[in-house]
Each structure stands twice: as C-alpha cells, then as structure tokens.
C-alpha cells in the first residue's frame, strides 16, 4: 500500500497569533513537501519568497477546516489538485465505472 504524503504549507506571508504565539499562513498558500526546495506546483520557495510553515498541515489551510485559515486569501488550485482538497466545492475523485476489455 502506498504511503500517503504529508504536505506542509508555504505561504506568501505569515502572521503571529496573539493567543498561542504560533506563526500562521497569510495571503496565498501552496502545498510543500519537506525536504524539497519547491512547492508541489513547481514554484521555487526562495525565488517566490514563500515562507515555509512546516508545523502547519496542508488540510488546515482550507476555510472550512477551522484551522489556520483566518488570513488565507487564496489556495493555489494546482497544489490543491495534487495534494487534495476536501471541502464543499471538491469534486469526487475520478473513478472508472465500466472499463472496456
């Protein structure tokens, strides 16, 4: 069985929560695999000046998750298609129903 990848967050900005002092994403967010120097959609982290937020899970950046999405303005659609987007606007995963022989 294939291991499910865990994606962290790279964001165009960050802010600090006053209650617990954690850095949270702001602006545009991208999925990022730790150990890589680029996002899932292919943007260079350094050249795009994206902040790495390795302590934030990718699924927490969606507004419906209630997680760290307070100041997220845009979720990269290319990263969402690769890393997964589970929410009210997500289409069901593709599935072959009646394959030809």
């Amino acid at each position: 069985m294939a291991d499910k990848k865990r994606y962290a967050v790279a964001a165009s900005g960050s802010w600090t929560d006053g209650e617990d002092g954690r850095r949270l994403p702001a602006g545009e967010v991208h999925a990022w695999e730790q150990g890589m120097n680029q996002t899932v959609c292919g943007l260079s982290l350094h050249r795009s000046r994206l902040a790495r937020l390795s302590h934030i899970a990718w699924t927490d950046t969606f507004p419906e998750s209630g997680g760290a999405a307070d100041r997220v303005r845009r979720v990269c659609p290319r990263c969402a298609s690769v890393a997964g987007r589970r929410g009210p606007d997500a289409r069901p995963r593709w599935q072959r129903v009646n394959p030809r022989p």
Side-chain angles (χ1 to χ4, degrees):
M1 182 181 284
D3 290 331
K4 195 170 188 181
K5 292 185 179 181
R6 298 189 66 188
Y7 295 102
V9 175
S12 61
S14 65
W15 64 286
T16 305
D17 188 16
E19 293 177 10
D20 56 3
R22 288 183 357 163
R23 275 186 18 186
L24 298 173
E28 184 175 355
V29 293
H30 295 269
W32 166 61
E33 241 182 298
Q34 291 187 18
M36 302 292 287
N37 289 327
Q38 65 182 8
T39 63
V40 174
C41 67
L43 289 177
S44 169
L45 293 173
H46 180 71
R47 288 184 183 187
S48 300
R49 296 185 180 174
L50 296 173
R52 297 172 180 96
L53 301 166
S54 59
H55 59 284
I56 304 291
W58 170 248
T59 54
D60 289 339
T61 60
F62 301 117
E64 58 272 0
S65 71
D70 292 341
R71 296 191 185 173
V72 171
R73 298 291 173 235
R74 182 176 183 269
V75 175
C76 174
R78 290 184 291 175
C79 289
S81 69
V82 173
R85 172 159 181 127
R86 300 285 70 164
D89 65 338
R91 287 187 259 147
R93 296 191 186 273
W94 183 85
Q95 182 178 8
R96 184 176 297 228
V97 177
N98 191 7
R100 286 195 239 165

